[in-house]
Amino acid sequence: QKEVEQDPGPLSVPEGAIVSLNCTYSNSAFQYFMWYRQYSRKGPELLMYTYSSGNKEDGRFTAQVDKSSKYISLFIRDSQPSDSATYLCAANAGGTSYGKLTFGQGTILTVHP
Amino acid sequence: NAGVTQTPKFQVLKTGQSMTLQCAQDMNHNSMYWYRQDPGMGLRLIYYSASEGTTDKGEVPNGYNVSRLNKREFSLRLESAAPSQTSVYFCASSEEAGVSPLHFGNGTRLTVT
């Protein structure tokens, strides 16, 4: 079993829809949680970065972490065609695990006009 | 401000050939990483350098070597390329290992025939 599981999709939604992307994880030591967006033939780009449980909002994006159920979510409001990309969740235990981010497989999202 | 720069962008090697992938960051980050990305496998850590002068193995180090040349530069060497090393390679950096998010370059697409 992978430490971070993510439904690869693909997910296709109409412009303006609310998108929900989800990951589960198994390592209870994970404390830092990230969402990256990756456009085709580009490197992953950091979208959201959260520590421990709770919500974080940045514009149209909201990240949620529920450590009790080991569940990570990213919500995109008023989705736009420019949001079409692969979204990767990632987690890290911090401390001596250094940069050993564990990534989900990525969800391919298409927002059509 | 270029961020993380990787060279070359594309490379084709024959089995048994060697090559070095170059990475440089201009963000004065302490930590640097090499990942590979394969379909269905997500991003996997090959090697990382928590600070200048140190390097450590990640999840999939076999067949690779690294050099942290200075604070800015971190290279990845394939001594004898194998078809299994066909992948997209990403270099990343972070301010501090373990607590800071990673910033990625745009990748090197390597094909080994």
Side-chain angles (χ1 to χ4, degrees):
Chain A
Q1 181 192 5
K2 292 180 185 294
E3 283 191 301
V4 178
E5 297 273 6
Q6 184 175 7
D7 185 343
L11 184 61
S12 181
V13 302
E15 183 174 355
I18 296 174
V19 176
S20 172
L21 303 167
N22 306 295
C23 294
T24 59
Y25 65 93
S26 57
N27 188 341
S28 57
F30 285 156
Q31 300 182 69
Y32 300 88
F33 303 92
M34 282 141 267
W35 282 95
Y36 285 83
R37 177 176 62 196
Q38 186 175 20
Y39 291 115
S40 180
R41 298 193 168 273
K42 296 290 188 182
E45 165 195 17
L46 181 69
L47 265 183
M48 301 289 279
Y49 177 64
T50 56
Y51 171 70
S52 195
S53 282
N55 293 358
K56 185 172 183 178
E57 188 173 322
D58 184 359
R60 296 185 294 110
F61 299 89
T62 300
Q64 283 186 354
V65 176
D66 182 346
K67 291 189 73 179
S68 62
S69 59
K70 297 188 176 67
Y71 205 75
I72 315 164
S73 300
L74 178 72
F75 298 96
I76 307 174
R77 290 184 299 281
D78 187 27
S79 56
Q80 302 295 309
S82 58
D83 295 327
S84 299
T86 298
Y87 289 80
L88 301 154
C89 61
N92 184 323
T96 57
S97 71
Y98 296 114
K100 293 180 186 176
L101 279 184
T102 301
F103 284 87
Q105 286 186 299
T107 299
I108 300 170
L109 171 68
T110 302
V111 181
H112 50 87
Chain B
N1 187 344
V4 178
T5 303
Q6 292 183 236
T7 55
K9 290 184 170 57
F10 302 93
Q11 184 71 49
V12 179
L13 291 178
K14 291 188 182 344
T15 298
Q17 288 184 319
S18 63
M19 78 160 295
T20 300
L21 282 63
Q22 307 286 355
C23 175
Q25 52 94 5
D26 63 3
M27 296 174 282
N28 200 35
H29 285 172
N30 288 309
S31 305
M32 298 186 73
Y33 315 84
W34 278 104
Y35 282 83
R36 60 178 289 173
Q37 187 174 37
D38 303 289
M41 302 296 291
L43 280 155
R44 293 180 292 169
L45 182 65
I46 305 171
Y47 271 93
Y48 67 99
S49 170
S51 60
E52 188 178 354
T54 69
T55 60
D56 281 289
K57 296 177 181 179
E59 184 185 352
V60 289
N62 291 345
Y64 305 96
N65 285 300
V66 290
S67 295
R68 184 74 183 267
L69 304 168
N70 48 54
K71 191 172 184 179
R72 289 187 64 246
E73 298 172 289
F74 189 38
S75 63
L76 177 72
R77 183 161 179 83
L78 288 70
E79 290 291 352
S80 179
S84 61
Q85 293 177 306
T86 293
S87 187
V88 182
Y89 291 86
F90 288 101
C91 177
S93 68
S94 69
E95 190 171 346
E96 292 295 339
V99 296
S100 305
L102 271 59
H103 299 265
F104 286 84
N106 281 326
T108 294
R109 283 155 183 81
L110 175 67
T111 301
V112 183
T113 60

